[in-house]
C-alpha cells in the first residue's frame, strides 16, 4: 500500500468536523478505532500484534528463530503514538506509526530479511490529554510512574484511568514496569514531525534529534469563595480568578527572563457562571527550558507569583507537580550510526534539540533511543494547522527505512 493510501486510511479517525482537529484521547471510542486501525495494518503485513500490560501496541516483524513477542532479544523498535492533544493535528504521533509501516513495506520490497526482531510500537496517552501525565504508556513501561498513582489519575469528568481502561476491556491491575519487554529492545527510533521551523530554515527534509529540553506540568488550584458578581464589594471578594490571571502573566515573564518557555493552556473556572465570582480556578502550567536549573528558576518564579497573588486576594493555593521529564541527551553512538546510514544514501540530516516531549525521551533512560524529524514548513503543531508536505513525509519514510535496514537487516 502506498504511503498516501495508508496515511489516508487513518485520517478520518477521531477527526472533529467542526474544528478540523483530532480528538484521539486514550481509552475512548476514537482510541479504540485507532487501535483497530493499527491491528489491521499490522495484520495486513503479517506483523504479530501484542498489547502490553500498559496498553501499548506492538506489531512484530519476526526474524527467523525468534518468537517476536515480549521476551524477544536484540529488537529494533520504531513507532510513536496515535493519541492527540485536544484538537490536535494529523501528524504529531501518527506520522511515526504510518512511516514505520511504510518503511517496513519498503524494506520488504527491497528484499530485506531482518536478522533480528523489528517492531512497530504505538504508545498510549503520549500527550497526557486525558489523564494529565505525558508519555503515560512509556512511563509505566519503564517504571517512571507509580502504577497505583496512575490507576487513580482522573480525566475531566472524574473517571479514573483504571475505570477507563476497564470500560475499554483492558485490565488496569497489570499496569506497571515490564522488564522482560524492555530487556528485549536494543534500540528505539522514533520518527516525528518537527514541531518548530528549524529544518525549514535549514532547507532539510529530515533531521536527527540531539536531545529534549527538560520540561513538565504543574497544576495550580486556587480556591476562593463563590459570590454575586453584581453585589459583592471588591474589598469583600475571595476571587480565585485574580491569582490565576497573575500566574498566566508570571509564566510569560519568567520564561522570557530565564530563556525558557512557559504556558497556561488549560484553565478551568468553577462553577463558571458569567454573573458569579468563581469558587475555584485550576491552571495548568507547562514549563520547559534548555537545562534543569533554568526550568527550576521558571517554575519557582511562577510559584512565588502565584503564592503572593493568592495571599493578596485571600485565596487558598494548592500546587502540584503532575509530570516532569528531565533533560534528555540521546545516545550519541546510535545517533552517529543513524547519521552514517543516512549519509551513505546521500541524505543529510541536521542535528537539532527540541522542547517537545516524546516517548523516545522517556525510553532513552532504559534503552538507546534516537529520533528522526520530518520538516514542518510552518512549524505549527498541536493545532489543526499542523502540516508536512507529502514529499517530505516520503523522505522521512526513506530515511527510516535506511536506518532500519542498517540496524536490523542482513
Ligand atoms: C508533547 O507533544 C509535548 O511536548 O507536550
Ligand atoms: Mn504532541
Ligand atoms: Mn508527539
Amino acid at each position: 500500500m502506498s504511503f498516501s493510501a495508508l496515511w489516508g486510511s487513518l485520517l478520518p479517525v477521531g477527526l472533529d468536523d467542526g474544528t478540523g482537529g483530532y480528538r484521539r484521547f486514550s481509552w475512548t471510542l476514537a482510541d479504540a478505532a485507532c487501535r483497530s486501525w493499527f491491528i489491521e495494518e499490522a495484520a495486513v503485513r503479517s506483523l504479530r500484534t501484542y498489547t502490553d500490560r500498559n496498553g501499548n501496541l506492538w506489531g512484530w516483524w519476526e526474524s527467523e528463530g525468534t518468537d517476536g513477542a515480549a521476551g524477544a532479544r536484540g529488537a529494533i523498535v520504531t513507532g510513536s503514538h496515535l493519541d492527540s492533544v485536544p484538537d490536535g493535528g494529523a501528524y504529531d504521533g501518527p506520522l511515526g506509526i504510518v512511516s514505520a509501516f511504510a518503511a517496513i513495506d519498503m524494506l520488504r520490497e527491497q528484499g530485506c530479511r531482518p536478522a533480528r526482531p523489528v517492531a512497530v510500537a504505538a504508545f498510549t496517552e503520549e500527550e497526557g490529554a486525558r489523564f494529565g501525565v505525558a508519555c503515560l504508556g512509556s512511563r509505566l513501561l519503564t517504571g517512571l510512574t507509580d502504577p497505583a498513582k496512575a490507576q487513580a489519575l482522573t480525566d475531566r469528568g472524574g473517571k479514573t484511568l483504571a475505570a477507563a481502561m476497564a470500560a475499554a476491556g483492558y485490565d488496569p491491575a497489570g499496569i506497571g514496569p515490564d522488564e522482560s519487554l524492555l530487556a528485549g529492545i536494543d534500540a528505539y527510533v522514533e520518527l516525528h514531525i518537527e514541531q518548530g521551523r528549524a529544518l525549514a530554515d535549514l532547507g532539510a527534509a529530515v533531521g536527527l534529534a540531539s536531545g529534549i529540553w527538560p520540561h513538565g506540568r504543574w497544576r495550580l488550584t486556587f480556591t476562593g469563595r463563590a459570590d454575586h458578581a453584581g453585589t459583592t464589594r471588591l474589598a469583600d471578594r475571595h476571587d480565585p480568578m485574580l491569582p490565576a490571571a497573575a500566574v498566566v502573566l508570571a509564566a510569560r515573564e519568567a520564561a522570557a527572563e530565564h530563556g525558557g518557555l512557559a504556558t497556561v493552556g488549560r484553565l478551568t473556572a468553577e462553577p463558571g457562571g458569567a454573573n458569579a465570582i468563581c469558587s475555584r480556578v485550576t491552571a495548568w502550567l507547562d514549563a520547559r527550558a534548555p537545562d534543569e536549573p533554568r526550568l527550576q528558576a521558571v517554575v519557582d518564579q511562577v510559584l512565588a507569583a502565584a503564592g503572593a497573588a493568592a495571599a493578596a486576594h485571600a485565596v487558598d493555593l494548592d500546587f502540584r507537580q503532575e509530570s516532569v521529564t528531565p533533560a534528555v541527551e540521546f545516545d550519541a553512538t546510535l545517533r552517529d550510526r543513524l547519521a552514517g546510514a543516512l549519509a551513505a544514501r546521500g541524505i543529510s540530516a541536521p542535528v537539532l534539540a527540541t522542547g517537545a516531549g516524546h516517548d523516545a525521551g522517556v525510553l532513552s533512560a532504559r534503552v538507546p533511543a534516537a529520533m528522526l524529524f520530518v520538516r514542518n514548513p510552518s512549524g505549527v503543531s498541536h493545532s489543526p494547522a499542523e502540516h508536512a508536505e507529502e514529499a517530505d513525509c516520503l523522505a522521512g519514510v526513506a530515511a527510516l527505512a535506511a536506518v532500519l535496514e542498517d540496524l536490523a537487516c542482513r
Side-chain angles (χ1 to χ4, degrees):
M1 188 190 279
S2 70
F3 172 86
S4 64
L6 187 54
W7 182 249
S9 67
L10 183 59
L11 274 185
V13 181
L15 179 65
D16 183 85
D17 289 334
T19 62
Y22 286 90
R23 298 177 179 182
R24 292 170 175 160
F25 307 132
S26 60
W27 307 117
T28 61
L29 290 178
D31 181 66
C34 286
R35 287 170 184 276
S36 299
W37 173 88
F38 181 99
I39 288 165
E40 225 166 87
E41 290 304 331
V44 163
R45 291 165 178 79
S46 306
L47 307 181
R48 194 145 73 85
T49 53
Y50 168 70
T51 307
D52 71 24
R53 290 186 280 105
N54 298 301
N56 306 310
L57 286 165
W58 303 76
W60 288 93
W61 182 13
E62 299 168 22
S63 61
E64 286 157 26
T66 71
D67 68 3
R73 286 289 173 269
I76 304 299
V77 180
T78 184
S80 192
H81 60 97
L82 292 169
D83 65 310
S84 75
V85 296
D87 287 334
Y91 297 80
D92 177 358
L95 184 62
I97 310 259
V98 170
S99 300
F101 285 135
I104 286 178
D105 292 348
M106 187 178 273
L107 289 174
R108 280 179 164 156
E109 277 160 25
Q110 291 168 0
C112 158
R113 289 170 61 223
R116 41 160 90 208
V118 173
V120 180
F123 291 98
T124 299
E125 181 89 357
E126 190 271 354
E127 301 288 7
R130 183 165 182 194
F131 293 102
V133 175
C135 298
L136 186 56
S138 54
R139 276 179 201 276
L140 284 165
L141 168 65
T142 53
L144 276 183
T145 289
D146 176 63
K149 280 193 186 139
Q151 284 164 352
L153 290 169
T154 51
D155 67 10
R156 292 168 203 243
K159 192 168 204 166
T160 62
L161 172 69
M165 279 185 79
Y170 292 79
D171 179 10
I175 65 171
D178 193 332
E179 291 301 330
S180 82
L181 183 51
L182 280 173
I185 302 172
D186 258 17
Y188 176 64
V189 179
E190 179 166 353
L191 178 147
H192 205 280
I193 186 168
E194 196 205 340
Q195 296 170 292
R197 280 201 309 271
L199 291 174
D201 290 349
L202 292 165
V206 296
L208 286 163
S210 56
I212 301 179
W213 281 14
H215 58 282
R217 294 178 188 185
W218 292 262
R219 190 192 322 202
L220 297 98
T221 305
F222 297 99
T223 306
R225 189 184 66 205
D227 217 329
H228 198 292
T231 58
T232 315
R233 288 182 298 181
L234 294 180
D236 293 342
R237 295 179 179 216
H238 300 268
D239 184 352
M241 187 58 83
L242 296 166
V247 159
V248 174
L249 298 174
R252 172 81 183 205
E253 265 167 38
E257 204 166 303
H258 299 287
L261 296 167
T263 310
V264 177
R266 180 174 168 189
L267 190 95
T268 54
E270 298 168 70
N275 56 353
I277 295 160
C278 307
S279 55
R280 184 162 54 194
V281 175
T282 307
W284 293 68
L285 171 72
D286 176 304
R288 310 178 189 225
D291 54 50
E292 281 156 20
R294 278 186 272 186
L295 177 63
Q296 195 58 52
V298 170
V299 175
D300 287 348
Q301 191 165 320
V302 175
L303 178 58
H313 296 286
V315 162
D316 288 336
L317 167 61
D318 178 63
F319 180 78
R320 191 173 311 176
Q321 178 181 292
E322 294 292 329
S323 61
V324 169
T325 306
V328 170
E329 194 54 48
F330 285 116
D331 187 281
T333 307
L334 180 61
R335 182 171 60 247
D336 289 348
R337 179 146 178 194
L338 265 57
L342 296 176
R345 286 158 187 82
I347 304 169
S348 111
V351 177
L352 326 164
T354 178
H358 299 285
D359 293 305
V362 171
L363 289 167
S364 72
R366 301 297 309 277
V367 299
M371 290 193 74
L372 281 167
F373 291 129
V374 169
R375 172 164 50 193
N376 176 337
S378 67
V380 172
S381 188
H382 285 182
S383 154
E386 179 186 73
H387 179 72
E389 295 296 334
E390 187 173 335
D392 289 345
C393 295
L394 295 175
V397 172
L400 183 59
V403 159
L404 294 178
E405 184 189 19
D406 180 57
L407 292 172
C409 293
R410 288 172 212 279

